[in-house]
Amino acid sequence: MGLELYLDLLSQPSRAVYLFAKKNNIPFEFKHVELFKDSILGTKAPGASSPGPAQAGSLPKVIAVKKVPVLKDETFLLAEGTAILLYLSRKYKTPDHWYPSDIQKRAKVDEYLSWHQANIRANAPKTMWIKVLIPLFTGQPLASEKLQEVMEGLAASLKQLEERFLQDKPFLVGNEISLADLLALVELMQPVGVGCDIFEDRPKLVAWRDRVEEAIGKELFMQAHGMILNIKELSTIQISPQLKEQLAPVLLKMMK
């Protein structure tokens, strides 16, 4: 038994964990979890290190309740994307720029990670809920006013991202990519994937995005985002009636 990562690449934190592990040559077994299916299927994802299905009976309990990403390292289980990234960076002693040993540089990464949850992560995913998931689960679109409201909130977060964190630096915390950049960009790819051009008229953020993709590797970055960037494929995911019944009211409540 080695390191297993249970991921759905439609999930932003899953993509961050996947990209981090791949970029740093961390050996792992890819366990593909499809959260929007009636059951957990184990189809091999592009670039997965190991084929074959992950049988539902063998999945960690956190997966059984549809939670990704999840790390399983021998008998050790860990959920939450940020916690998994920090664990991997420490265990595999990844290059210092990801999570710096310098106490002040590390504190700046921590500052962004704390801000991220209530700002970028609180706003960016809602674009996908409004444009894809809510119509998919309810059979009807949400009022256009709700998307406008979400985009205004996201615009405010993007303004802070640029002025408070990026400023005139190449990356959010300095001259090299860090966990802050990785988590920020995978989150912002969610609205991009559903057709919201959030980088329009933001040349500084466009240049930052290009640098982050280049630092990760454009081919690897695009491979990880293949599903989210195919909006037609997202819109035709087959959802079981039972799952629709369970999640439709939850999604609508989240958007109130």
Side-chain angles (χ1 to χ4, degrees), residues 204-218:
K204 187 178 289 189
L205 287 182
V206 170
W208 164 77
R209 172 184 170 178
D210 288 342
R211 287 191 292 268
V212 174
E213 290 185 12
E214 189 68 36
I216 293 170
K218 286 187 177 292

Side-chain angles (χ1 to χ4, degrees), residues 155-229:
S157 293
L158 290 171
K159 188 173 188 294
Q160 287 190 63
L161 179 70
E162 183 174 333
E163 295 180 356
R164 176 179 173 183
F165 292 99
L166 184 59
Q167 299 176 357
D168 293 318
K169 304 186 299 295
F171 297 96
L172 296 180
V173 178
N175 294 323
E176 295 182 276
I177 191 173
S178 72
L179 293 180
D181 301 283
L182 175 61
L183 282 167
L185 188 52
V186 296
E187 201 75 51
L188 293 177
M189 292 304 291
Q190 215 75 351
V192 170
V194 295
C196 297
D197 190 0
I198 59 171
F199 290 98
E200 185 179 13
D201 299 325
R202 293 187 174 95
K204 187 178 289 189
L205 287 182
V206 170
W208 164 77
R209 172 184 170 178
D210 288 342
R211 287 191 292 268
V212 174
E213 290 185 12
E214 189 68 36
I216 293 170
K218 286 187 177 292
E219 183 177 350
L220 174 61
F221 186 86
M222 296 308 294
Q223 180 252 316
H225 287 83
M227 293 175 68
I228 192 66
L229 291 175

Side-chain angles (χ1 to χ4, degrees), residues 95-144:
D96 191 71
H97 60 81
W98 288 109
Y99 194 56
S101 54
D102 178 272
I103 189 171
Q104 293 186 350
K105 289 181 180 179
R106 176 171 290 192
K108 296 304 289 184
V109 174
D110 290 338
E111 179 186 26
Y112 176 79
L113 297 181
S114 297
W115 178 86
H116 175 85
Q117 295 298 320
N119 292 275
I120 299 296
R121 180 141 180 77
N123 288 302
K126 291 179 181 178
T127 55
M128 182 175 171
W129 301 343
I130 292 171
K131 298 198 72 173
V132 177
L133 296 184
I134 287 177
L136 192 63
F137 279 89
T138 66
Q140 57 187 14
L142 205 61
S144 59

Side-chain angles (χ1 to χ4, degrees), residues 53-113:
Q55 299 298 325
S58 67
L59 296 175
K61 289 182 180 179
V62 278
I63 289 294
V65 295
K66 301 189 182 299
K67 178 76 174 179
V68 291
V70 169
L71 172 150
K72 187 172 185 287
D73 193 0
E74 302 294 340
T75 59
F76 178 67
L77 292 177
L78 186 65
E80 303 300 335
T82 301
I84 291 171
L85 289 168
L86 294 175
Y87 176 83
L88 293 175
S89 71
R90 290 160 178 156
K91 176 170 180 176
Y92 293 95
K93 297 180 173 60
T94 55
D96 191 71
H97 60 81
W98 288 109
Y99 194 56
S101 54
D102 178 272
I103 189 171
Q104 293 186 350
K105 289 181 180 179
R106 176 171 290 192
K108 296 304 289 184
V109 174
D110 290 338
E111 179 186 26
Y112 176 79
L113 297 181

